[in-house]
Amino acid sequence: MTKVLPPMLMPTNPRTDLSFERGEGAYLYGSDGHRYLDFFSGIAVSSLGHAHPHLVDTLRSHADKLWHITNNYRIPAQERLAERLTALSFADRALFCNSGLEAAEGAIKLARKAQHTEGKPNRTRIVTIEGAFHGRSIAALAATANEKYLEGFGPRAPGFSQVPFGDSAALEAALDDDVAAVMIEPVQGEGGVRPFDLGYLRRARELCDANEASLIFDEVQCGMGRTGRLFAYQWAEVEPDIMMLAKGLGGGFPVGAILATERVGRCLTPGTHGSTFGGNPLAMAIANAVLDVLVQPGFLQEVERIGRLLWTELEGLAQQQGEVFSEVRGAGLLLGLRCIPPAGACVDAVRASRMLTHTAGENVLRMLPPLIIEEQQVAEAIHHLESAATAVCQKAGAA
Ligand SMILES: *Cc1c(COP(=O)(O)O)cnc(C)c1O
């Protein structure tokens, strides 16, 4: 399907010429009259699917109460969410914002301020990993360090350097006495659905400890249950000093968070950082409602089980469709199929079969289904992927 750039909008996003009228669970109903299986969740955001009854009830019950007040006053739902997220993680303190890039900005500022507070003001450099994606603000772009995103936006913000993926010797070599923090996505999403080896994450922790650097985990895409644990780092049994959340945190409502240990988190003292919207009552009510579902007994175990089932089915598919799919990668329900034809053509063919997916780096077809999918949707997805692979092969044969 050809992409469109509506003339009244800035042309940042070439759009598939399709819109949706409503969603229910893992399905979206298109303006073309067709039902689509949503295996992308608006980039891991609608992680409880569309129109989840608990989220709808929460939104409705807050509609005529209080939407916004800003942080000059106490916000009970914000304190409650902070208490819950810190109780469920390594962290002691939270700060709320509205998106992943704001979480990245906040995490970078926090890591630098913590070094400054501890009498090490020269420690400002943030080390990131090749293939990372941390957002599109001037600082987050410097952290992401992808030339494709940087070009045309003036001088690159100083104070960032990058090391190759999965190379702990390179990470060790990069850790000098000017480093404030190392920033890692435990599973790279945009970069190609690449999970880090758990040993690498443990080594990164050791190296940060030995070098007085903070460890930041960017769990904007891989956090909030996506991998079958509430946070992806929990698989590695190492804890960061700072963690970034957004995407799935609000189940479709824009909200982000920075979590940190007491040592680091206390350093953003009054007036040093903030946000007008961050943590407003409506966002907090909805994020609390998302968390209610994620912590229900058995919910994450089921995500893990369905993720494994989908993985096994995808392995079978890749074997059977070896000319189209060369590899399955990912963790939990953040899964990728490395493609032999251009991944974009595979995504188009999958959509023609009425399932939504997207690309990621390294020619990968990326799947981020809602965490509520059942065996039925796994079977449907495999069916869509099979018919797409057949269509792609036929096209290649005809060309
Ligand atoms: C999407 C993403 C971001 C940026 O989030 P936005 O809400 O789009 O600003 C940062 N880090 C990771 C890992 C992401 O996937």
Side-chain angles (χ1 to χ4, degrees):
M1 203 180 272
T2 51
K3 303 264 186 196
V4 292
L5 290 167
M8 73 300 281
L9 299 175
M10 294 194 199
T12 51
N13 297 68
R15 291 151 204 262
T16 300
D17 193 8
L18 175 64
S19 62
F20 299 95
E21 279 157 10
R22 71 188 177 87
E24 196 184 326
Y27 299 97
L28 282 163
Y29 294 84
S31 48
D32 59 355
H34 293 299
R35 186 181 86 160
Y36 289 79
L37 178 63
D38 184 6
F39 258 46
F40 200 55
S41 307
I43 326 187
V45 168
S46 308
S47 58
L48 300 183
H50 301 280
H52 189 284
H54 186 51
L55 301 196
V56 172
D57 284 349
T58 302
L59 184 69
R60 285 216 175 102
S61 73
H62 279 76
D64 56 2
K65 281 191 193 156
L66 178 64
W67 293 10
H68 181 77
I69 181 78
T70 206
N71 295 301
N72 302 338
Y73 297 91
R74 291 184 75 165
I75 299 175
Q78 190 185 110
E79 294 177 20
R80 176 160 183 259
L81 184 63
E83 260 166 21
R84 297 174 83 192
L85 289 173
T86 54
L88 291 161
S89 72
F90 71 95
D92 304 301
R93 289 182 186 257
L95 179 67
F96 295 98
C97 55
N98 312 287
S99 67
L101 86 78
E102 282 173 72
E105 287 278 341
I108 292 162
K109 287 181 70 178
L110 175 56
R112 288 181 176 171
K113 190 67 165 37
Q115 296 287 1
H116 188 274
T117 306
E118 292 181 353
K120 295 171 278 184
N122 296 331
R123 283 190 168 266
T124 56
R125 183 157 54 97
I126 309 291
V127 178
T128 64
I129 314 294
E130 224 170 73
F133 182 82
H134 300 300
R136 293 173 187 271
S137 67
I138 296 292
L141 279 178
T144 295
N146 182 331
E147 296 302 329
K148 182 174 87 179
Y149 300 138
L150 280 159
E151 198 196 332
F153 296 107
R156 183 160 160 173
F160 294 86
S161 70
Q162 217 171 39
V163 293
F165 183 90
D167 182 342
S168 43
L171 181 60
E172 185 167 11
L175 285 173
D176 219 332
D177 61 5
D178 64 335
V179 171
V182 175
M183 189 187 251
I184 301 176
E185 283 175 83
V187 185
Q188 284 192 349
E190 308 296 319
V193 192
R194 294 197 292 181
F196 280 95
D197 176 69
L198 300 183
Y200 176 87
L201 296 179
R202 290 186 200 119
R203 182 78 185 122
R205 177 71 272 177
E206 285 169 13
L207 291 172
C208 285
D209 287 341
N211 291 276
E212 297 175 41
S214 292
L215 179 61
I216 305 173
F217 282 158
D218 178 348
E219 296 225 8
V220 168
Q221 191 159 153
C222 63
M224 299 313 288
R226 182 55 53 192
T227 65
R229 296 269 169 98
L230 192 56
F231 304 112
Y233 80 80
Q234 290 167 334
W235 291 106
E237 289 158 4
V238 288
E239 297 185 336
D241 303 285
I242 302 171
M243 179 166 70
M244 300 143 58
L245 298 173
K247 293 199 166 104
L249 179 63
F253 199 91
V255 54
I258 305 144
L259 302 187
T261 59
E262 178 62 20
R263 185 175 71 80
V264 173
R266 69 192 166 88
C267 298
L268 284 181
T269 48
T272 56
H273 193 59
S275 156
T276 300
F277 292 123
N280 87 7
L282 193 53
M284 295 297 99
I286 294 172
N288 270 305
V290 171
L291 199 54
D292 291 342
V293 178
L294 296 187
V295 300
Q296 270 169 16
F299 185 89
L300 291 172
Q301 285 92 316
E302 183 61 12
V303 171
E304 191 190 340
R305 189 186 73 83
I306 286 285
R308 285 187 200 279
L309 177 70
L310 181 54
W311 177 286
T312 307
E313 295 289 321
L314 291 171
E315 287 275 6
L317 175 76
Q319 256 161 34
Q320 189 196 317
Q321 302 281 354
E323 313 97 279
V324 181
F325 302 124
S326 59
E327 184 196 339
V328 184
R329 42 162 85 173
L333 286 174
L334 170 45
L335 291 171
L337 277 169
R338 197 158 190 192
C339 301
I340 292 163
C346 296
V347 167
D348 284 345
V350 173
R351 191 180 50 250
S353 171
R354 309 217 166 95
M355 165 171 154
L356 305 181
T357 59
H358 197 59
T359 53
E362 301 194 322
N363 207 40
V364 166
L365 178 146
R366 177 171 35 150
M367 283 166 281
L368 292 158
L371 306 181
I372 47 118
I373 58 165
E374 297 174 357
E375 290 184 16
Q376 164 76 15
Q377 281 89 39
V378 170
E380 285 174 28
I382 297 299
H383 169 77
H384 289 300
L385 290 164
E386 256 168 9
S387 48
T390 309
V392 167
C393 286
Q394 275 167 0
K395 235 186 208 161

